Amino acid sequence: QVQLVESGGGLVQPGGSLRLSCAASGSIAKLNAMAWYRQAPGKQRELVAVVTRGGSVNYADSVKGRFTISRDNIKNTVSLQMNSLKPEDTAVYYCNGNFLIYGSTWPYDYWGQGTQVTVSS
């Protein structure tokens, strides 16, 4: 089975930094776009950052200049470096990947279980 496992979440003070990582495992034939989403209590899930297979990146306006998404296509990982964290960044962060799996005809989106990021003094 395909599995995405996030790590790196935790408690950090405002202005601090965290680096989230997501490792994909399973019978992956091809990795397409990978992304990070987040959902805060009482709010809608939002796209934080996305990186395409070719390396193009896009960010939500709220995190531009503070967050950086990167990927390693050899290791099947995607990371999110988060700097200058604010309390409003507090949320569960989810890793998303669009993969083609061996034995499947078309690629599909897969999700991790999420990792909690809490920004508080």
Side-chain angles (χ1 to χ4, degrees), residues 18-30:
L18 283 175
R19 185 176 180 86
L20 305 182
S21 295
C22 174
S25 62
S27 56
I28 300 171
K30 183 180 180 181

Side-chain angles (χ1 to χ4, degrees), residues 2 26-30 99-108 110:
V2 173
S27 56
I28 300 171
K30 183 180 180 181
F99 307 142
L100 175 65
I101 308 302
Y102 286 109
S104 297
T105 303
W106 306 104
Y108 297 96
Y110 299 87

